Amino acid sequence: MNHSTLLFRYLNDPRGPEEILPAMSSADLATLLDALFQNLDTPEPEFGAQTWYEMAVEENRLRMEARDWIAPASAGGTR
């Protein structure tokens, strides 16, 4: 799926980023982040792309923190 099709699908989904982003796989989130970043680097980004990008970056950050929190505990460490 090309980036324009991907963005159109997500940016026009009535559920919005609050519902969609947490349900995405990490690979799909990374693909969406890449597509949003590339779109924002154009002279005329899609309407809503900036909001989606900011929310996707935040979702990615939360996942990274959760992973960092869980990994040491599962390896026998404590926090």
Side-chain angles (χ1 to χ4, degrees), residues 37-75:
F37 185 84
Q38 288 185 34
N39 180 260
L40 290 170
D41 197 33
T42 64
E44 293 183 30
E46 295 291 329
F47 180 76
Q50 181 70 39
T51 300
W52 271 83
Y53 182 75
E54 290 171 4
M55 293 182 78
V57 166
E58 179 64 10
E59 176 64 27
N60 192 56
R61 184 188 67 77
L62 291 171
R63 290 181 187 197
M64 296 296 283
E65 285 180 0
R67 186 192 71 201
D68 290 346
W69 179 260
I70 292 169
S74 65

Side-chain angles (χ1 to χ4, degrees), residues 12-57:
N12 293 296
D13 191 312
R15 294 175 296 165
E18 301 86 359
E19 186 175 339
I20 293 172
L21 294 172
M24 294 179 84
S25 70
S26 294
D28 287 344
L29 180 60
T31 300
L32 179 60
L33 276 166
D34 183 50
L36 288 163
F37 185 84
Q38 288 185 34
N39 180 260
L40 290 170
D41 197 33
T42 64
E44 293 183 30
E46 295 291 329
F47 180 76
Q50 181 70 39
T51 300
W52 271 83
Y53 182 75
E54 290 171 4
M55 293 182 78
V57 166

